[in-house]
Amino acid sequence: KAGVTQTPRYLIKTRGQQVTLSCSPISGHRSVSWYQQTPGQGLQFLFEYFSETQRNKGNFPGRFSGRQFSNSRSEMNVSTLELGDSALYLCASSGAAAIPNTEAFFGQGTRLTVV
Amino acid sequence: QKEVEQDPGPLSVPEGAIVSLNCTYSNSAFQYFMWYRQYSRKGPELLMYTYSSGNKEDGRFTAQVDKSSKYISLFIRDSQPSDSATYLCAMSEAGGGNKLTFGTGTQLKVEL
């Protein structure tokens, strides 16, 4: 069974640009969550999508947005990049049904560097 | 103050030792508790998943949850060099969807 796939694995962007990251969840999973991981703050929750709807949102500015498609694949967009957005962005796939609090499985992440 | 506190380590132990990793939390609404292992340059890998208080064992790993003390633990028996990684605790609320709140992680090194 294929795991969670995140693309690209690495990105270098310039301050002020925007970026889109992609996540394909485990087949049958309908919940996709996004996290930012930095050495200082650890893993912080960005948002969760279930059946194309945002179900939860963390405390990040509006520059961070996401969406989910009918096939459960999800994208995350960061606009007007700042140096502090440099981080590992992780996607987690959960649950084959609408039941929350199911086990979350992570992808390998996208390493974003803003210069 | 963070909702979930975890000693960052690093923790260094000899091969074969019993390792104890711990997290404390302040949010009494947390009902689901998880432990993840993360190797360098990899995503977190789910080790244990428990609901409410009690113990759960899986091979060399035992997870304990004490909701009265807001304290969770992960024990690793007969530790191996391959256990060297960062261990992250994570928690979620009932009705909170799949939003996880993480500790900052404990870096473990098991030495030969």
Side-chain angles (χ1 to χ4, degrees), chain B residues 5-26:
Chain B
E5 298 282 354
Q6 185 175 8
D7 187 337
L11 179 62
S12 183
V13 302
E15 184 179 7
I18 296 174
V19 176
S20 172
L21 303 166
N22 311 294
C23 288
T24 58
Y25 62 94
S26 56

Side-chain angles (χ1 to χ4, degrees), chain B residues 56-105:
Chain B
K56 186 173 183 178
E57 189 172 321
D58 185 0
R60 297 186 294 112
F61 299 89
T62 299
Q64 288 185 351
V65 175
D66 181 350
K67 290 188 67 183
S68 63
S69 302
K70 297 190 177 68
Y71 188 88
I72 71 170
S73 301
L74 178 71
F75 297 96
I76 307 173
R77 291 183 297 281
D78 187 26
S79 55
Q80 303 294 311
S82 59
D83 295 328
S84 298
T86 296
Y87 289 80
L88 299 147
C89 62
M91 310 177 187
S92 65
E93 299 180 22
N98 288 306
K99 174 186 175 181
L100 299 178
T101 301
F102 280 85
T104 49

Side-chain angles (χ1 to χ4, degrees), chain A residues 9-10 31 33 35 37 40-41 43 45 48 55-56 88 90 94 99-108, chain B residues 2 32 34 36 38 41-46 49 88 92-104:
Chain A
R9 289 293 310 278
Y10 303 92
S31 167
S33 300
Y35 294 82
Q37 186 174 31
Q41 299 296 320
L43 270 140
F45 175 80
E48 179 198 3
R55 183 156 73 174
N56 275 301
L88 181 66
L90 291 157
S94 301
I99 302 170
N101 301 111
T102 55
E103 300 174 19
F105 299 89
F106 283 83
Q108 295 209 59
Chain B
K2 287 178 179 270
Y32 299 85
M34 287 132 273
Y36 284 85
Q38 187 174 24
R41 300 186 181 279
K42 300 284 188 181
E45 168 194 11
L46 181 64
Y49 175 92
L88 299 147
S92 65
E93 299 180 22
N98 288 306
K99 174 186 175 181
L100 299 178
T101 301
F102 280 85
T104 49

